[in-house]
Amino acid sequence: CRFRFTVYRDLPLPNLVFYQWHVRSITGGCPGQWEDRAFVYYGPDMDYIHSTFDVGDLVNGDSLVVSLGVISMCDVWYLVNGNCAAHTPSPWFDNVAVYRYKTSGPQWSYRDLDFFQDNFPELEFNIESYVRADAANDIRDNDDPVIDPGDSIVVDCSSPLGGGVAADPTYGGPAVYLHVKATYICYDHAKPAQLAGPALAGSVVTGPTEAPYTINFNYMSDDGVWTIIQCDTARTGYGEMRARYMVDLNDELFTRGYMIEYYFTALDVAGLESAFPRYARSGPPYFEWTCLPTKNSDVLFVDDFTGRGSFAGMAENYWTTVFKAVLPPPNNEVDRYDVNGPSSGVSNGPGSRAKNFHLTQYYYFIVWDCGDLPSITITSGTVSTGSDKSNDCQMLIDWMELSEHGCGLWICGDNVAADQDNMATTPALTLMNTWCGVDFVATSYFNETGGRTAGGVVTPLIAGETDAGIFVHAGVPDKFYAYGGCPIINGFDVLEKTAFGKYALSYPVYNATNRYAAIASSQLNPGGFHVNTMWFGFSYMAVRDDVIAAPIDRFELAKDVFQWMNSITNVNVTPADAPKFTALAQNYPNPFNPTTTIRFELKEKGPVTIRVYNVAGQLVRTLVEGERDAAAYSVDWDGANDRGGAVASGIYFYKMETKGFSQTKKMVLLR
């Protein structure tokens, strides 16, 4: 069952006026309770959009009622997400329709903010520490400065025509299952290629607040690659949630370099099964999240437009081909951080999970594309400005300031500069004005050239500027179109340079006034390392060829930027510099049988020992003894003592000692 309508939106987020919808079933002549997705909607672009929502899991009959309306959240979010200063006459609704499809089998819906979020290791200086399987959504209130991601994920499933979701014949409970595959995607082949089996199943503590209890999710089976885990009925402190199911993965299993793909299946009372995504049984696409960094590439791509316009998102679709075409392997296998629910403001940007050491040690280049998001783009940690609690601006500033190598930052998005200017926080303005040399002029080149009433330019022809010279070759500027006509008219940011910037791209001159589309900056950080930045006032997915001929403009533009930032000629998949810290990692796997790997790093040359002891403190095995250069190392232990005999199952300790450093960690051998 689908609910469709068109809506005119002139609803900037700071106004705190939203539109919402509800549906309810009529059963036996009596209306049921109103159901929805617990969302309110907004948009500042003064546009009509077509909206479609799957509501089959929310209704259970042939008769239903739909509701569309407006709601003010000023009494809830005043000075938290906005100031309620400028209400408008919108929203206006039209073309309301409901479509009913007689579809057999379980039906699905979800919010991407309720699914797993890409993540980084919990410990900043132990890159091999565990990476939690967390949901994107922050479960704390906006006015609580702590970011606390949900531990489990939820999905909605019902079967109105099949008698409801069936019970599992083995464990009881819902016949709703998570299918999960954990693959090590790094080129160093230092870990098992697949993780499968009972260890993947996690647990959560939930239930009424006065009597919490633990849910252990049931492991069903595995084939060595795909593991099946039973979901449970989702519940909160107020009780169970109808047609919603929860599941969790082990928080002490995954480490850097694993990509976890997953999908769902369910069985209804009528005996019919369906999968979500629909064709997942026969192959991708699947849902996925990645444990970063992989160390395959020194490039991090932040997809701040995830899931918009396609399953993966239009921005990702464009950038994937660009990276493949322009960067040399293996650097073109860039790390990608997908911001789930990018416009929802749930504090799940990379600044909520990545730590300074993760970025400064492993990324020389960051690409960030926000698509056509009107707000909550690169957030600054201050929710009262229309941002969220993830301080992504400060994360980028710290990365550029603290890196002991050159850095390149490329920011794209139709409204990123407008959003930074609107937030007007210190991190937002420092990032934009100081580090990137960008000043905001206007939120829409289309409006600057006449808008809807005076023939505004929808798709401007953009040209390279000699000031920066990056997009000018042999005196001839590069040219391309920024396509702004679908699915809505895009309002590309108009930019100006500060003292730190240079003009890189310009829009066509209008009314004898120059208007600029991109600004470049090149500076030194406090350590004396070059920091190059490029800021586009439009999303890269808007780039279109000006002529039908090779080479493709989006490839040539990217090549120019990457070459300027030295990402092609200075590729460091594993930085050649010595480690900045001496460190001892947790062994992997742990528990283990028959072999485990211990990684360690030395920041300077010197003698080092690593010895294994039993619980009585007796020496079992010397794994490392002697002088080592400053570098990263790994050593394996096969569960044997110094005489070559196999030791018994149990707890063992390994201790590393070197100049000014001593640390002991525990490991478990299971025969």
Side-chain angles (χ1 to χ4, degrees), residues 312-567:
M314 292 300 294
E316 179 185 328
N317 294 343
Y318 273 82
W319 279 107
T320 297
T321 58
V322 168
F323 294 135
K324 291 290 187 183
V326 174
L327 294 175
N331 214 40
N332 58 6
E333 299 287 344
V334 305
D335 282 3
R336 191 183 74 243
Y337 185 101
D338 296 326
V339 182
N340 289 2
S343 66
S344 299
V346 295
S347 304
N348 62 317
S352 69
R353 288 159 169 80
K355 300 177 176 64
N356 287 340
F357 188 78
H358 299 152
L359 300 184
T360 58
Q361 292 297 299
Y362 299 104
Y363 297 117
Y364 283 47
F365 191 79
I366 294 178
V367 178
W368 196 306
D369 199 325
C370 298
D372 64 5
L373 294 186
S375 57
I376 315 179
T377 55
I378 303 178
T379 55
S380 65
T382 308
V383 294
S384 61
T385 64
S387 178
D388 67 25
K389 294 185 288 183
S390 179
N391 199 340
D392 298 329
C393 291
Q394 191 62 52
M395 179 200 74
L396 292 173
I397 293 168
D398 292 342
W399 170 65
M400 291 184 287
E401 285 188 345
L402 300 175
S403 289
E404 296 182 357
H405 53 69
C407 291
L409 173 63
W410 188 359
I411 291 174
C412 301
D414 296 359
N415 305 288
V416 182
D419 190 33
Q420 303 302 298
D421 187 73
N422 179 68
M423 288 188 292
T425 62
T426 297
L429 297 181
T430 300
L431 173 66
M432 181 169 71
N433 301 154
T434 303
W435 279 102
C436 296
V438 174
D439 200 6
F440 169 71
V441 175
T443 191
S444 172
Y445 180 76
F446 171 70
N447 289 338
E448 289 287 286
T449 55
R452 288 175 171 81
T453 60
V457 178
V458 174
T459 301
L461 180 63
I462 294 177
E465 280 288 321
T466 57
D467 189 24
I470 300 166
F471 305 111
V472 177
H473 302 280
V476 179
D478 294 334
K479 293 185 178 181
F480 62 94
Y481 286 105
Y483 182 61
C486 184
I488 59 176
I489 296 176
N490 298 69
F492 304 131
D493 279 342
V494 180
L495 310 175
E496 183 55 74
K497 67 178 181 180
T498 68
F500 305 101
K502 291 186 176 182
Y503 301 127
L505 294 169
S506 61
Y507 296 112
V509 174
Y510 182 80
N511 282 346
T513 301
N514 293 322
R515 290 174 171 83
Y516 297 98
I519 304 293
S521 172
S522 184
Q523 302 179 60
L524 295 178
N525 72 5
F529 298 94
H530 280 281
V531 175
N532 291 347
T533 67
M534 178 65 69
W535 191 301
F536 278 17
F538 50 90
S539 171
Y540 207 68
M541 64 185 184
V543 174
R544 298 292 187 277
D545 290 345
D546 61 318
V547 295
I548 303 176
I552 298 174
D553 283 345
R554 69 176 183 269
F555 294 168
E556 287 299 294
L557 292 170
K559 184 177 180 180
D560 287 342
V561 174
F562 290 139
Q563 285 180 330
W564 176 62
M565 292 183 173
N566 295 323
S567 281

Side-chain angles (χ1 to χ4, degrees), residues 272-290:
L272 296 176
E273 183 196 68
S274 69
F276 185 54
R278 183 176 180 182
Y279 299 110
R281 280 293 202 186
S282 57
Y286 310 117
F287 301 110
E288 56 86 15
W289 65 281
T290 306

Side-chain angles (χ1 to χ4, degrees), residues 574-610:
T574 301
D577 296 340
K580 302 302 184 292
F581 300 89
T582 295
L584 176 65
Q586 184 65 49
N587 66 301
Y588 183 88
N590 186 37
F592 70 97
N593 179 27
T595 302
T596 190
T597 299
I598 298 170
R599 295 176 177 273
F600 62 101
E601 295 182 343
L602 299 175
K603 70 175 183 179
E604 59 183 327
K605 182 177 181 179
V608 59
T609 61
I610 297 180

Side-chain angles (χ1 to χ4, degrees), residues 582-645:
T582 295
L584 176 65
Q586 184 65 49
N587 66 301
Y588 183 88
N590 186 37
F592 70 97
N593 179 27
T595 302
T596 190
T597 299
I598 298 170
R599 295 176 177 273
F600 62 101
E601 295 182 343
L602 299 175
K603 70 175 183 179
E604 59 183 327
K605 182 177 181 179
V608 59
T609 61
I610 297 180
R611 295 185 173 96
V612 178
Y613 299 88
N614 60 24
V615 292
Q618 298 168 321
L619 177 64
V620 174
R621 179 80 173 268
T622 298
L623 298 175
V624 177
E625 187 172 37
E627 191 170 79
R628 295 288 190 276
D629 291 329
Y633 298 91
S634 66
V635 61
D636 293 336
W637 184 41
D638 58 1
N641 58 29
D642 276 333
R643 297 183 300 276

